[in-house]
């Protein structure tokens, strides 16, 4: 399958995700956010979680804070 074919096949879903505020590169950080939620449920403090995840995933602490906020945000209206 080519990139063109994959995009054409998934066009509708991709367009809805874009309207909702999601970006294709967000997929790379789904595990990071899952780990964040897991650590929060265990009672870890956010500053500790951010430091651990930044080291684990090789990104800056600022990026981790940004991703947490981004994944917690509501989808943009008109996306559904």
């Amino acid at each position: 399958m080519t990139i063109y074919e994959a995009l054409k096949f998934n066009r509708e879903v991709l367009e809805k995700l874009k309207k909702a505020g999601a970006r294709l590169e967000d997929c790379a950080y789904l595990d990071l956010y899952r780990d964040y939620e897991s650590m929060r449920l265990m009672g870890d403090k956010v500053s500790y979680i951010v430091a651990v995840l930044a080291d684990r995933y090789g990104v800056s602490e600022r990026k981790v804070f940004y991703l947490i906020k981004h994944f917690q945000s509501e989808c943009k209206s008109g996306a559904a």
Side-chain angles (χ1 to χ4, degrees):
M1 177 180 288
T2 65
I3 296 294
Y4 171 78
E5 292 167 335
L7 288 171
K8 184 178 173 188
F9 181 75
N10 294 292
R11 175 188 289 183
E12 187 175 325
V13 172
L14 293 170
E15 287 175 351
K16 286 185 180 195
L17 287 168
K18 184 178 179 182
K19 286 180 184 177
R23 297 179 314 267
L24 190 56
E25 57 270 11
D26 290 342
C27 291
Y29 300 107
L30 292 174
D31 291 338
L32 181 149
Y33 189 74
R34 183 203 57 222
D35 290 350
Y36 165 77
E37 288 186 319
S38 174
M39 293 174 79
R40 282 293 288 160
L41 286 173
M42 293 187 327
D44 293 325
K45 296 195 183 265
V46 174
S47 57
Y48 171 75
I49 296 170
V50 169
V52 168
L53 294 179
D55 185 56
R56 184 180 297 167
Y57 289 93
V59 297
S60 69
E61 290 184 14
R62 181 178 175 134
K63 177 75 170 184
V64 175
F65 276 116
Y66 168 79
L67 290 166
I68 292 168
K69 183 177 179 182
H70 179 62
F71 283 127
Q72 290 176 341
S73 66
E74 292 292 324
C75 291
K76 294 179 183 174
S77 61

